[in-house]
Amino acid sequence: MPEIKQLNENLKQQAALYHELKQYAQMKQQALLRNDLQEIEATTIREEQLLLEASRLEKERLLWTERAARHLGKAPETITLKELAERFPELTDVRAELENVVMSLKEVNELNNQLLKQAMKVTNLTVSIMTAQPNGSTYNRPGEKESESKTVRFLDRSI
């Protein structure tokens, strides 16, 4: 059945693409740990390009799946890859590979997300420390009230 052959090829391409996405996610993870903003930006740009390609492949996969489902007399929106792999054993290996790489990519992305959240907390804390108003000054000029003393700020909050 030509639809299954085309679907199998498409799934192999998607699996390879997700392996590449996982490599970039791991590179981003190392860049996050090193706080290398240029590397983070470069990997993010490449990831976006790969995701566009993944979107194209997914549209193609839906087309081949729809044709295979019609051939089997099933509604295209209800058929799963698991069902297709049970019916067409040549899809079993690529299905397993896709499941593994997607789960692995998900784990790396979840850790990257945690690292980003942690970095944002550190940044927010740093900014809040630098822009905080002092509660009171320790020393005042002779004869000057506490409210008349000038407060020193690292950043101009009036902007």
Side-chain angles (χ1 to χ4, degrees):
M1 190 167 143
E3 291 87 3
I4 296 303
K5 185 176 180 181
Q6 293 293 333
L7 178 61
N8 193 29
E9 186 58 36
N10 175 280
L11 293 173
K12 286 178 182 179
Q13 289 174 3
Q14 283 194 45
L17 188 90
Y18 285 118
H19 278 291
E20 191 173 353
L21 271 168
K22 181 184 165 197
Q23 289 174 342
Y24 277 97
Q26 290 169 330
M27 289 169 53
K28 184 189 280 184
Q29 189 174 92
Q30 293 305 309
L32 285 166
L33 292 171
R34 290 190 314 270
N35 200 25
D36 184 346
L37 297 179
Q38 289 178 336
E39 180 71 17
I40 293 168
E41 184 178 356
T43 56
T44 300
I45 289 170
R46 182 62 182 141
E47 283 176 323
E48 288 172 356
Q49 293 168 344
L50 291 171
L51 288 171
L52 287 173
E53 177 65 12
S55 176
R56 184 193 68 75
L57 286 170
E58 181 62 11
K59 287 177 186 175
E60 187 180 292
R61 182 199 64 82
L62 290 172
L63 173 74
W64 295 120
T65 301
E66 183 179 324
R67 289 181 182 176
R70 269 196 245 126
H71 182 75
L72 295 173
K74 292 200 161 217
E77 56 276 353
T78 62
I79 198 158
T80 64
L81 184 54
K82 181 180 179 182
E83 287 179 79
L84 286 171
E86 288 170 357
R87 178 79 163 86
F88 303 100
E90 60 264 36
L91 297 176
T92 303
D93 290 342
V94 73
R95 174 184 172 260
E97 182 181 357
L98 257 175
E99 282 182 0
N100 290 335
V101 71
V102 168
M103 289 303 295
S104 181
L105 177 60
K106 181 181 175 186
E107 290 171 4
V108 173
N109 281 337
E110 285 174 355
L111 182 55
N112 286 355
N113 190 27
Q114 290 174 357
L115 290 170
L116 283 169
K117 284 180 182 179
Q118 188 176 30
M120 287 299 298
K121 285 181 182 178
V122 169
T123 301
N124 289 337
L125 177 64
T126 303
V127 169
S128 97
I129 289 171
M130 292 179 73
T131 60
Q133 294 283 339
N135 291 337
S137 68
T138 306
Y139 301 104
N140 291 332
R141 291 185 181 168
E144 187 179 275
K145 293 180 185 173
E146 190 172 325
S147 63
E148 294 175 358
S149 66
K150 293 190 176 196
T151 58
V152 178
R153 295 184 190 149
F154 291 106
L155 298 175
D156 185 1
R157 295 177 77 187
S158 65
I159 296 176

